[in-house]
Amino acid sequence: MMMVTSLPLKGIPGSYGPPLIGSLKDRLDYFWFQGQDTFFRSRVAKYQSTVFRTNIPPSFPFIGVDPRIIAITDCKSFEALFDMSLVEKKDILVGSYMPSVSYTGSTRVVAYLDTSEERHAVIKTFAMETLKKASRTWVAVLQESLGRMFETLEKEVKEKGKASFIAPVQRCLFRFLCKVLVGADPLAVPEIGEDGWIILDEWLALQLLPTVKTGAVPQPLEEILFHSFPFPFFMVSNGYRKIYEFLKKEGRSFIDSAKKDYGLTEEEILHNIIFVIGFNAFGGFSVFLPSLLNAIGTDTGLQAQLRAEVKHTMQTHAGRLSFQAIEDMNLVKSTVYEVLRLNPPVALQFARARRDFELESYECKYGIRKGELLCGYQTLAMRDSRVFSDSEKFVADRFTKENGGEALLNHLFWSNGPQTGSPTINNKQCAAKDYVVATAWLIVAEIFSRYESFGTDGSSSITSLQESRMMLNQC
C-alpha cells in the first residue's frame, strides 16, 4: 500500500526589517543596487525558498501604502493567486499602492473591483461582450491599422536605414483599439489621431512612476523625484478629458447601446472603456509587442520557419487571414506563448488573503494570514525549472502540439490566470486574454504575408524589411 504523506508546514522565511529602514533598504535594492529581477532572485537564493517575506516599493505611510508582501516565485504556489475562495483583488492591481481614482474620472473601474463586489459582474460582462462584438471586424480593422504602420516603417527604413518602431506601434494600437472596440476612429479628430497615443502614455506613466525604474535621470535623483510620492492627476487631466470627449462623441452609438444593454451609466461606460483601451490593452501591448518583434527580428532561422508556416497555412485558407487560419499556425502560436512566458507584459500579480489558508509549494506549505498581501513575480515563476526545461532559454516551439507543449499552457499565467482558463464574472482573469494572443498571432502572420524577413537591433528599431510577393486578403 502506498503511503500518502502531507507536506510539512513551515514558517515563511525573510523579514521586513526595522520600520522605515527595512523598507528603504529594500526599495534601494529594488530600484538602484540590484534591480527588480536580481532583487527577487537574490532572495530566493538567500532564503533557499521560492516563497519569502520582503518589502517592495512604493512605501507611502502617510496614505496607508504598506510595502510588506509575501513574494511567490514558483508555478505551484502562484496558482493560489487565482483562487478567489482564498484571495481577493480589491484595489490591489499594482499592489498596496492604488493610483488616485481621479485618473479614472472618480470611478473605481473593474480592474480594481473584487469579484464579491456587485458592480464587478455587470462591468466585466460588458467588457467581455464588447470584445465578442468587436471580433466581427477585428481582423479587417487590425490589418488596416497595420498597413498604415508598415508604410511609415518602410519609408523611414528606406530613408534612414532603420526606423524606431515604438511610436508607430503605439499609434497603430491606439487607432485599432478605439476603432474596433468603440467604433471611434482617431483619424476623425486630427489632434487625437496625432497625439492620442502620447496622451495615454503620459496618463499611464504618472500612475505607475512610483512603482517602476525609468533610468530617465541618474540616481539618487530618480528616487527623490519619481519614487517618493504619488503624482497628482491634474498633470494629465487636460489630455484625459480630450480622450474622454473624443470617445463620448465618436462612440455615441456604442455608449447608447451599452447603457441600454447593461444598465450602466455613461460615466461607468466611458471611464471603464478608457481603462480597458489605455491601461489593459494599449499599455500591455506597448510592452509586449516590442519583445515579440525583437525575439523574431533577431532570429533569421526562426523567421524562415514562421514564413513557411504562414504561407503554407494560407494556401489552405484561400489566402485569407482570419481567426480560423491562425489556429492552424502552431509555430506562430507557440512563439507568441514563449515570448509571453519569458517577458510577461505585467511582471507582478497581486492578491490579498481573503481568509487564513495554507499555501502549497513543492516541498512544504506556508501559513498565510487573512489580510496579508501576496505578490507573484511572474517573470521568475514562468522560468520554474520544475515545469519548463531549459527554462531561461527562448525556445520558439516549446508550446507546439508536436512537442507536447500544450500541457504547459496550464502554467502560463500572464493573463492573471492560466492560459487554459477562461475569463468569467467569478474570476479576475483578463477579459481580453484570448484576443491578446490572437492579435499577436495575427500580427506575426501579417508580417510574413508582407515580408520575406525583417531585422531589429534587439532594442527599439527595425533595421530591414524585405518585401514578399504574397499578400493576404482581409477576412
Side-chain angles (χ1 to χ4, degrees):
M1 178 181 292
M2 293 183 61
M3 295 291 293
V4 179
T5 59
S6 61
L7 294 172
L9 182 64
K10 293 186 177 181
I12 301 173
S15 169
Y16 301 124
L20 298 180
I21 295 175
S23 63
L24 177 60
K25 179 185 180 301
D26 286 341
R27 166 182 157 182
L28 293 177
D29 281 345
Y30 190 91
F31 283 133
W32 192 350
F33 299 126
Q34 294 179 324
Q36 185 186 66
D37 197 61
T38 301
F39 177 89
F40 284 101
R41 288 178 185 269
S42 65
R43 283 155 179 76
V44 169
K46 177 180 179 180
Y47 302 124
Q48 291 296 293
S49 174
T50 56
V51 178
F52 53 88
R53 297 184 185 276
T54 189
N55 302 285
I56 63 167
S59 174
F60 303 140
F62 56 93
I63 57 173
V65 176
D66 188 343
R68 295 175 297 175
I69 63 159
I70 296 171
I72 296 174
T73 64
D74 70 84
C75 275
K76 186 172 182 180
S77 302
F78 211 93
E79 293 175 1
L81 298 173
F82 315 131
D83 187 337
M84 301 310 297
S85 70
L86 301 178
V87 301
E88 65 167 305
K89 304 273 189 166
K90 182 178 180 180
D91 296 338
I92 48 106
L93 180 65
V94 291
S96 181
Y97 161 69
M98 178 183 173
S100 169
V101 291
S102 297
Y103 281 95
T104 51
S106 298
T107 299
R108 282 179 65 239
V109 293
V110 69
Y112 290 108
L113 300 178
D114 182 60
T115 53
S116 64
E117 296 183 74
E118 182 181 355
R119 300 306 284 169
H120 178 270
V122 64
I123 298 175
K124 189 163 185 183
T125 298
F126 156 65
M128 292 189 295
E129 289 298 314
T130 294
L131 288 159
K132 185 177 179 180
K133 291 175 183 177
S135 66
R136 303 168 191 162
T137 59
W138 199 275
V139 177
V141 176
L142 179 63
Q143 285 186 305
E144 180 191 4
S145 298
L146 288 172
R148 290 177 176 271
M149 181 187 78
F150 288 131
E151 287 177 9
T152 299
L153 292 173
E154 287 173 8
K155 181 179 179 181
E156 193 165 341
V157 168
K158 184 176 181 179
E159 293 176 351
K160 300 179 181 179
K162 67 176 184 178
S164 173
F165 56 72
I166 300 299
V169 162
Q170 290 196 316
R171 185 179 285 110
C172 167
L173 287 172
F174 176 67
R175 181 174 185 241
F176 164 67
L177 292 166
C178 289
K179 191 171 181 181
V180 79
L181 293 177
V182 186
D185 190 344
L187 297 183
V189 181
E191 182 181 14
I192 299 298
E194 185 65 27
D195 298 329
W197 63 278
I198 298 175
I199 292 172
L200 286 188
D201 269 344
E202 293 171 344
W203 174 75
L204 276 168
L206 283 200
Q207 293 178 76
L208 299 178
L209 264 180
T211 70
V212 297
K213 180 178 180 178
T214 69
V217 296
Q219 296 286 15
L221 289 178
E222 177 155 333
E223 291 309 303
I224 297 170
L225 297 177
F226 296 159
H227 301 149
S228 297
F229 48 83
F231 289 81
F233 170 63
F234 77 80
M235 298 175 70
V236 290
S237 59
N238 187 49
Y240 186 84
R241 175 56 57 176
K242 290 178 180 178
I243 297 290
Y244 175 93
E245 294 296 341
F246 157 69
L247 293 175
K248 182 178 180 179
K249 179 181 178 182
E250 300 298 325
R252 174 47 56 190
S253 176
F254 166 82
I255 294 168
D256 290 343
S257 177
K259 286 166 65 175
K260 178 182 176 182
D261 293 343
Y262 305 102
L264 297 170
T265 68
E266 189 164 295
E267 290 291 293
E268 284 180 309
I269 294 166
L270 280 163
H271 295 301
N272 272 282
I273 204 67
I274 291 173
F275 196 89
V276 167
I277 290 173
F279 202 108
N280 297 126
F282 177 82
F285 267 125
S286 294
V287 173
F288 170 55
L289 284 183
S291 296
L292 180 63
L293 291 174
N294 279 320
I296 299 173
T298 54
D299 189 333
T300 55
L302 175 59
Q303 289 191 46
Q305 293 176 286
L306 291 170
R307 181 174 64 250
E309 180 178 74
V310 170
K311 291 185 176 182
H312 173 74
T313 303
M314 297 317 301
Q315 288 175 359
T316 65
H317 287 269
R320 298 173 69 85
L321 187 58
S322 65
F323 287 126
Q324 291 74 29
I326 56 175
E327 281 294 336
D328 294 334
M329 300 181 187
N330 291 325
L331 183 59
V332 169
K333 292 163 65 177
S334 179
T335 299
V336 169
Y337 288 142
E338 181 70 344
V339 174
L340 284 168
R341 181 185 75 86
L342 286 174
N343 299 288
V346 178
L348 304 176
Q349 293 186 14
F350 295 91
R352 195 175 295 282
R354 195 182 295 275
R355 57 179 174 83
D356 292 356
F357 71 94
E358 292 180 349
L359 176 71
E360 286 197 8
S361 187
Y362 293 110
E363 297 169 348
C364 62
K365 296 183 291 186
Y366 302 99
I368 306 295
R369 301 299 299 274
K370 179 180 178 179
E372 290 189 302
L373 184 63
L374 309 177
C375 171
Y377 181 47
Q378 184 170 205
T379 306
L380 193 50
M382 294 298 91
R383 300 179 188 218
D384 188 335
S385 60
R386 296 189 186 227
V387 175
F388 302 101
S389 60
D390 293 322
S391 60
E392 297 286 345
K393 183 181 178 183
F394 176 77
V395 182
D397 62 353
R398 184 186 299 276
F399 293 95
T400 58
K401 294 179 181 178
E402 295 82 357
N403 288 340
E406 289 188 311
L408 294 176
L409 296 177
N410 289 312
H411 307 287
L412 186 62
F413 300 140
W414 69 272
S415 63
N416 204 10
Q419 184 60 37
T420 51
S422 298
T424 73
I425 61 174
N426 297 314
N427 64 32
K428 292 297 291 182
Q429 188 158 29
C430 175
K433 186 259 297 185
D434 294 328
Y435 294 89
V436 169
V437 291
T439 299
W441 299 339
L442 288 165
I443 290 172
V444 174
E446 181 72 8
I447 287 173
F448 288 108
S449 77
R450 291 173 174 267
Y451 306 105
E452 289 296 308
S453 65
F454 73 99
T456 70
D457 62 1
S459 177
S460 60
S461 293
I462 297 284
T463 56
S464 65
L465 288 166
Q466 182 181 347
E467 281 193 71
S468 170
R469 288 190 295 271
M470 183 183 82
M471 292 293 290
L472 306 185
N473 300 317
Q474 291 186 7
C475 179

